[in-house]
Amino acid sequence: MRTRQRFRAAVAALPLLLAVAGCESGAEKADGPGSDGATPTASASRLSVFDVPVQKQPAAAGSVLADSGTARFTTTVTYTTAGGRAVERTTGVLDWRKDAARAERVRQVPAGFPAAVADDLGLTPGLTERHRFAVEGNEVGYLPEGGTWLRYAASDPKEFADAAGGLLDHAGDAAPWGRTLAEVLKVSFALDDEALPGGGRRYRTQVDGLTARSALPSAVAGRVDGQGPTQSVVVDLDRQGRLVRAEADFGKLLAELHGGGGLTGLTGLRVELALTGHGGPVTALVPATERFEAAKSVLTAIGEVKPGACASTDTGLGHAGLVRVVPCGGDADLRVFGQQRIDETVRNADPEGLGDRFAADRCRDDLRAAPAAWTAGARPAGTFRVFGGEKLGYGYTGPDASVRGDFTCYVKLR
């Protein structure tokens, strides 16, 4: 028996984290001492980057990315739909010496942004949201609004770490803050280049589709099942061979996803990265007033939340798979009204999506039977949502296929 599992949400005093903050005056002196303004490290980087063949220069820059020691960064993800553009911008500081980062993410989503696309991407139409993160090594922290830091770690139990996997990807390989175009630089291949004012160079590079996924938002990357189309990335290096900008248009990838029925309402996806203040001073401060707690001891799988209970999805994960169970009212943004287990066998039919449809039908029945107090606060009124994963089983012979999965029925409260 071959199986495949797909997850979907639908409408129907700690050593962990360093509060690294940039010093503005240091940014003006980031080039360091020397007659040409370059530090000895940067000069060595220039030799190693610009002395290799042009096609390999972006990859060489990726290999010495950490030589600066520190930098400020801005990542921008732009989602385009017929109902407007949503922009997700993250700014922060990188410290390669401590393998640490601090970041603040701001999401601006217009009211007309399609609700179905927003659900798939973990966005909320009509809202501007701010999220704070911190990284050290393989641990990622998130600060809920008005709460204490949640700490996620790669060493958490596998089931929990898998559920939080998208967030843990922000503990990057190329830089302390991951899921940026810096992750693809070392495996890029320049097709052409041009000179920039100030002595830098711009490259149009090519990256294989599988690698390009590491620079995508996790909600999109999780939908790329195969190799994906080759991606073009524009890369800018300064005169010292340091990465200062990268940009990619993932339109070809979206076209492939649309062909499989995924994210059809999303018409454009652009990702950008900018690095400044290379080598500038940063501080490492953890205010005594900041507290941290292990996320695995605080969060609950939504499938374990009892009907009638409320929860908060302010976890940094961008989905409802793991939640904080809280009293109804206040911080609560969802209320569970049902749990459904699907276990069906189908014959002579494509089972893809059947689990979702079975769950939606049964949740609709649960909605009708639930106490009015459980569902009266639904936003929009009268709607409900389903979270769960279907597991499909195909027989090697014969027409039968199995559809199994656990699903949670809930209403969104705000």
Side-chain angles (χ1 to χ4, degrees), residues 2 13 15 40-41 63 142 147 173 204 234 243 253 262 267 293 365 390 411:
R2 295 172 290 121
T41 297
S63 297
Y142 171 74
D173 293 325
R204 184 170 61 89
V234 175
L243 175 67
L253 175 68
T267 58
E293 51 191 350
D365 292 339
E390 65 176 21
V411 294

Side-chain angles (χ1 to χ4, degrees), residues 8-44:
R8 175 175 171 79
V11 176
L14 293 171
L16 166 66
L17 307 171
L18 300 179
V20 281
C23 172
E24 292 302 326
S25 60
E28 299 299 322
K29 301 177 181 179
D31 285 341
S35 60
D36 64 350
T39 64
T41 297
S43 297

Side-chain angles (χ1 to χ4, degrees), residues 52-340:
V52 302
V54 169
Q55 294 89 344
K56 298 181 180 180
Q57 287 176 11
S63 297
V64 298
L65 195 59
D67 283 3
S68 295
T70 60
R72 294 177 181 82
F73 76 94
T74 300
T75 67
T76 306
V77 181
T78 304
Y79 304 97
T80 302
T81 71
R85 291 182 176 181
V87 177
E88 178 179 294
R89 183 169 287 112
T90 305
T91 59
V93 178
L94 308 170
D95 189 338
W96 279 274
R97 298 165 304 188
K98 296 181 173 66
D99 196 12
R102 284 295 287 266
E104 180 180 72
R105 182 178 68 199
V106 179
R107 287 173 164 173
Q108 296 176 302
V109 187
F113 199 84
V117 180
D119 279 336
D120 286 338
L121 299 175
L123 306 175
T124 305
L127 287 185
T128 295
E129 301 174 298
R130 295 180 181 272
H131 303 128
R132 292 174 59 190
F133 301 90
V135 176
E136 184 173 307
N138 291 323
E139 298 181 339
V140 178
Y142 171 74
L143 183 61
E145 185 176 354
T148 59
W149 285 91
L150 297 175
R151 180 182 61 221
Y152 298 86
S155 59
D156 286 339
K158 185 178 185 305
E159 184 176 359
F160 183 88
D162 287 347
L167 182 64
L168 287 171
D169 286 344
H170 284 305
D173 293 325
W177 179 259
R179 281 222 171 271
T180 75
L181 288 169
E183 299 296 327
V184 309
L185 201 60
K186 284 198 292 187
V187 293
S188 63
F189 181 85
L191 301 177
D192 54 48
D193 73 319
E194 62 179 287
L196 294 175
R201 301 204 70 81
R202 172 168 293 167
Y203 306 83
R204 184 170 61 89
T205 74
Q206 198 170 62
V207 180
D208 72 77
L210 188 63
T211 302
R213 291 191 303 179
S214 62
L216 288 167
S218 57
V220 179
R223 294 174 173 270
V224 182
D225 293 331
Q227 179 71 26
T230 299
Q231 218 36 71
S232 176
V233 181
V234 175
V235 175
D236 289 358
L237 306 182
D238 67 10
R239 64 189 176 88
Q240 296 171 5
R242 302 176 302 195
L243 175 67
V244 292
R245 178 182 170 273
E247 182 176 354
D249 183 336
F250 284 95
K252 288 199 303 183
L253 175 68
L254 282 183
E256 183 171 282
L257 293 179
H258 293 166
L263 296 174
T264 53
L266 186 62
T267 58
L269 176 62
R270 182 174 291 275
V271 178
E272 302 170 64
L273 168 67
L275 296 182
T276 60
H278 299 77
V282 296
T283 57
L285 302 173
V286 178
T289 55
E290 293 194 43
R291 295 176 52 243
F292 300 86
E293 51 191 350
K296 63 181 175 60
S297 66
V298 176
L299 304 185
T300 302
I302 193 170
E304 298 175 6
V305 178
K306 295 181 179 179
C310 292
S312 169
T313 58
D314 186 14
T315 61
L317 299 176
H319 61 73
L322 293 170
V323 296
R324 290 185 296 123
V325 177
V326 297
C328 294
D331 293 338
D333 57 19
L334 68 81
R335 191 165 192 169
V336 173
F337 63 85
Q339 298 285 359
Q340 288 290 342

